[in-house]
Amino acid sequence: MTPDEAIAALVSGNQRYVDGATTSTNKPEARPALAAGQAPFAAIIRCADSRVSPEIVFDQPLGELFVCGVAGNIPTMEIVASLEFGVAVLGAKVIVVMGHSSCGAVGAAIKYRKDTSPLPGSLPELIDQIIVPCTVDSDPDDPNALPAAIECNANNGIDQLLRSSKVISEAVAEGRLKLIAGVQDLESGRFTITRH
Ligand SMILES: [Zn+2]
């Protein structure tokens, strides 16, 4: 499979999901082959949001997607290292930075930017990674601020991956890998590619 074929498989799988015509199954008889090894064609950074599931949204069975998750779908160091394994060892042909509508992490980045009360626990370290590139000039009262920041955050993930990983940037330069970013609309189910 080429990177373009991998992207096409995701696009057609998402169309089946949107249409309510999914075909993927995870039957018991498939498990011995899965236990013997994996060769996922795509690697994904997803948000932790309970309404986001790449296997369902792209209509893929177990074994096809190498999925890494963190609130706000940002490429933290651990996510980058996981993706490097997915590309260098398992041979994934595309990395998807998968944003989604109504993302609470990105919403927090907009809302708490000027807030004097700090976020609890370790959340500031996570949210700062969204604020700095994508919401520093956002108006919290602008209804378009959240969708714009969600798209920015997904697109920005590509730059961060290329900047922070030689394994990934070299695979892209050699044509073995493509990076795409996009946003899943929770209401329609549609995943729209916003950068490739
Ligand atoms: Zn989210």
Coordinates of all heavy atoms in Angstrom, one line a residue, residues 144-186:
N144 N -16.8 31.6 16.3 CA -15.9 30.9 15.3 C -14.5 30.6 15.8 O -13.7 29.9 15.2 CB -15.7 31.8 14.0 CG -17.0 32.0 13.3 OD1 -17.8 31.0 13.1 ND2 -17.3 33.2 12.9
A145 N -14.3 31.0 17.1 CA -12.9 30.8 17.6 C -12.6 29.4 17.9 O -11.5 28.9 17.5 CB -12.8 31.6 19.0
L146 N -13.6 28.6 18.4 CA -13.4 27.2 18.7 C -13.1 26.4 17.4 O -12.1 25.7 17.3 CB -14.5 26.6 19.5 CG -14.3 25.1 19.9 CD1 -13.0 24.9 20.6 CD2 -15.5 24.6 20.7
P147 N -14.0 26.4 16.4 CA -13.7 25.7 15.1 C -12.3 26.1 14.5 O -11.6 25.2 14.0 CB -14.8 26.0 14.2 CG -15.9 26.6 15.1 CD -15.3 27.1 16.3
A148 N -12.0 27.4 14.5 CA -10.7 27.8 14.0 C -9.6 27.2 14.7 O -8.6 26.8 14.2 CB -10.7 29.3 13.9
A149 N -9.7 27.3 16.1 CA -8.6 26.8 16.9 C -8.4 25.2 16.8 O -7.3 24.7 16.8 CB -8.8 27.2 18.3
I150 N -9.6 24.5 16.6 CA -9.5 23.1 16.5 C -8.8 22.7 15.2 O -7.9 21.8 15.1 CB -10.9 22.5 16.4 CG1 -11.5 22.5 17.9 CG2 -11.0 21.1 15.9 CD1 -13.0 22.3 17.9
E151 N -9.1 23.4 14.1 CA -8.4 23.2 12.8 C -6.9 23.6 12.9 O -6.1 22.8 12.4 CB -9.1 24.0 11.7 CG -8.5 23.7 10.3 CD -9.3 24.3 9.2 OE1 -10.5 24.5 9.3 OE2 -8.7 24.6 8.1
C152 N -6.7 24.7 13.5 CA -5.3 25.2 13.7 C -4.5 24.1 14.5 O -3.4 23.8 14.1 CB -5.3 26.5 14.4 SG -3.6 27.0 15.0
N153 N -5.1 23.6 15.5 CA -4.4 22.7 16.4 C -4.1 21.4 15.7 O -3.0 20.8 15.8 CB -5.3 22.4 17.6 CG -4.6 21.5 18.6 OD1 -3.5 21.7 19.0 ND2 -5.3 20.4 19.0
A154 N -5.0 20.9 14.8 CA -4.7 19.7 14.1 C -3.6 20.0 13.0 O -2.7 19.2 12.9 CB -6.0 19.2 13.4
N155 N -3.8 21.1 12.3 CA -2.8 21.4 11.3 C -1.4 21.6 11.8 O -0.4 21.2 11.3 CB -3.2 22.6 10.5 CG -4.5 22.4 9.7 OD1 -4.9 21.3 9.5 ND2 -5.0 23.5 9.2
N156 N -1.4 22.2 13.0 CA -0.1 22.5 13.6 C 0.6 21.3 14.1 O 1.8 21.2 14.1 CB -0.4 23.4 14.9 CG 0.9 24.0 15.4 OD1 1.6 24.8 14.7 ND2 1.2 23.7 16.6
G157 N -0.2 20.2 14.3 CA 0.4 18.9 14.7 C 1.4 18.4 13.6 O 2.4 17.8 14.0
I158 N 1.1 18.7 12.4 CA 2.0 18.2 11.3 C 3.4 18.9 11.4 O 4.4 18.3 11.4 CB 1.4 18.5 9.9 CG1 0.2 17.6 9.7 CG2 2.4 18.3 8.8 CD1 -0.5 17.8 8.4
D159 N 3.3 20.2 11.6 CA 4.6 20.9 11.8 C 5.4 20.4 13.0 O 6.6 20.2 13.0 CB 4.4 22.4 12.0 CG 3.7 23.1 10.8 OD1 4.1 22.8 9.7 OD2 2.8 23.9 11.0
Q160 N 4.7 20.1 14.1 CA 5.3 19.6 15.3 C 5.9 18.3 15.1 O 7.0 18.0 15.5 CB 4.3 19.6 16.5 CG 3.9 21.0 17.0 CD 2.8 20.8 18.1 OE1 1.7 20.8 17.8 NE2 3.3 20.7 19.3
L161 N 5.2 17.4 14.4 CA 5.8 16.1 14.1 C 7.0 16.2 13.2 O 8.0 15.5 13.5 CB 4.7 15.2 13.4 CG 3.6 14.7 14.2 CD1 2.5 14.1 13.3 CD2 4.0 13.8 15.3
L162 N 7.0 17.0 12.2 CA 8.1 17.1 11.3 C 9.3 17.7 12.0 O 10.5 17.4 11.8 CB 7.8 18.0 10.1 CG 6.8 17.4 9.1 CD1 6.3 18.4 8.1 CD2 7.4 16.2 8.4
R163 N 9.0 18.7 12.9 CA 10.1 19.4 13.7 C 10.7 18.5 14.7 O 11.9 18.5 15.0 CB 9.5 20.6 14.4 CG 10.3 21.8 14.4 CD 9.6 23.1 14.9 NE 8.5 22.9 15.8 CZ 7.3 23.4 15.7 NH1 7.0 24.1 14.6 NH2 6.4 23.2 16.6
S164 N 9.9 17.6 15.4 CA 10.4 16.9 16.5 C 10.9 15.5 16.2 O 11.5 14.9 17.1 CB 9.3 16.9 17.6 OG 8.1 16.3 17.1
S165 N 10.7 15.0 15.0 CA 11.0 13.6 14.8 C 11.8 13.5 13.4 O 11.2 13.7 12.4 CB 9.8 12.7 14.7 OG 10.1 11.4 14.3
K166 N 13.0 13.1 13.5 CA 13.8 12.8 12.3 C 13.3 11.5 11.6 O 13.3 11.4 10.4 CB 15.3 12.6 12.7 CG 16.2 13.0 11.6 CD 17.7 12.9 12.1 CE 18.6 13.1 11.0 NZ 20.0 12.9 11.4
V167 N 12.9 10.5 12.4 CA 12.3 9.3 11.9 C 11.1 9.6 11.0 O 11.0 9.1 9.8 CB 11.9 8.3 13.0 CG1 11.0 7.2 12.5 CG2 13.1 7.8 13.8
I168 N 10.2 10.5 11.4 CA 9.0 10.9 10.7 C 9.4 11.8 9.5 O 9.0 11.5 8.3 CB 8.0 11.5 11.6 CG1 7.5 10.5 12.6 CG2 6.9 12.2 10.8 CD1 6.6 11.0 13.7
S169 N 10.2 12.8 9.7 CA 10.5 13.7 8.6 C 11.3 13.0 7.5 O 11.1 13.3 6.3 CB 11.3 14.9 9.1 OG 12.5 14.6 9.7
E170 N 12.2 12.1 7.8 CA 12.9 11.4 6.8 C 12.0 10.4 6.0 O 12.1 10.3 4.8 CB 14.1 10.6 7.4 CG 15.2 11.5 7.8 CD 16.4 10.7 8.4 OE1 16.3 9.5 8.6 OE2 17.4 11.3 8.7
A171 N 11.1 9.8 6.7 CA 10.1 8.9 6.0 C 9.3 9.7 5.0 O 9.0 9.2 3.9 CB 9.2 8.2 7.0
V172 N 8.9 10.9 5.4 CA 8.1 11.8 4.5 C 9.0 12.2 3.3 O 8.5 12.2 2.2 CB 7.6 13.1 5.3 CG1 7.0 14.1 4.3 CG2 6.6 12.7 6.4
A173 N 10.2 12.6 3.6 CA 11.1 13.1 2.5 C 11.4 11.9 1.5 O 11.5 12.2 0.3 CB 12.4 13.6 3.1
E174 N 11.4 10.7 2.0 CA 11.7 9.6 1.1 C 10.4 9.0 0.5 O 10.4 8.0 -0.3 CB 12.3 8.5 1.9 CG 13.8 8.8 2.3 CD 14.3 7.9 3.4 OE1 13.6 6.9 3.7 OE2 15.4 8.2 4.0
G175 N 9.2 9.6 0.7 CA 8.0 9.2 0.1 C 7.4 8.0 0.7 O 6.4 7.4 0.1
R176 N 7.9 7.5 1.8 CA 7.3 6.3 2.5 C 6.1 6.6 3.4 O 5.4 5.7 3.8 CB 8.4 5.6 3.3 CG 9.5 5.0 2.6 CD 10.5 4.3 3.5 NE 11.4 5.2 4.2 CZ 11.4 5.4 5.5 NH1 10.6 4.8 6.3 NH2 12.3 6.2 6.0
L177 N 5.9 7.9 3.6 CA 4.9 8.3 4.6 C 4.3 9.7 4.2 O 5.1 10.5 3.7 CB 5.6 8.5 6.0 CG 4.8 9.0 7.2 CD1 3.8 7.9 7.6 CD2 5.7 9.4 8.3
K178 N 3.0 9.8 4.5 CA 2.4 11.2 4.4 C 1.8 11.5 5.7 O 1.3 10.6 6.4 CB 1.4 11.2 3.2 CG 2.0 11.2 1.9 CD 1.0 11.6 0.8 CE 1.7 11.9 -0.6 NZ 0.8 12.2 -1.7
L179 N 1.7 12.8 6.0 CA 1.1 13.3 7.2 C -0.2 14.1 6.7 O -0.1 14.9 5.8 CB 2.0 14.2 7.9 CG 3.4 13.8 8.3 CD1 4.1 14.8 9.2 CD2 3.4 12.4 9.0
I180 N -1.3 13.8 7.3 CA -2.5 14.6 7.1 C -3.1 15.1 8.4 O -2.9 14.4 9.4 CB -3.5 13.9 6.2 CG1 -4.1 12.7 7.0 CG2 -3.0 13.5 4.9 CD1 -5.3 12.1 6.3
A181 N -3.8 16.2 8.4 CA -4.6 16.6 9.5 C -6.0 16.8 9.1 O -6.3 17.0 7.9 CB -4.0 17.9 10.1
G182 N -6.9 16.7 10.1 CA -8.3 16.9 9.7 C -9.2 17.0 11.0 O -8.7 16.8 12.1
V183 N -10.4 17.2 10.7 CA -11.4 17.4 11.8 C -12.6 16.5 11.6 O -13.2 16.5 10.5 CB -11.8 18.9 11.9 CG1 -12.9 19.0 13.0 CG2 -10.6 19.8 12.2
Q184 N -13.0 15.7 12.6 CA -14.2 14.9 12.6 C -15.3 15.8 13.1 O -15.3 16.3 14.2 CB -14.0 13.7 13.5 CG -15.3 12.9 13.7 CD -15.3 11.9 14.9 OE1 -14.2 11.8 15.5 NE2 -16.4 11.3 15.2
D185 N -16.4 15.9 12.3 CA -17.6 16.6 12.7 C -18.4 15.6 13.5 O -18.9 14.6 12.9 CB -18.3 17.2 11.5 CG -19.6 17.9 12.0 OD1 -19.5 19.0 12.7 OD2 -20.7 17.5 11.7
L186 N -18.7 15.9 14.8 CA -19.4 14.9 15.6 C -20.8 14.6 15.1 O -21.3 13.5 15.2 CB -19.4 15.3 17.1 CG -18.0 15.4 17.8 CD1 -18.2 15.8 19.2 CD2 -17.3 14.0 17.7

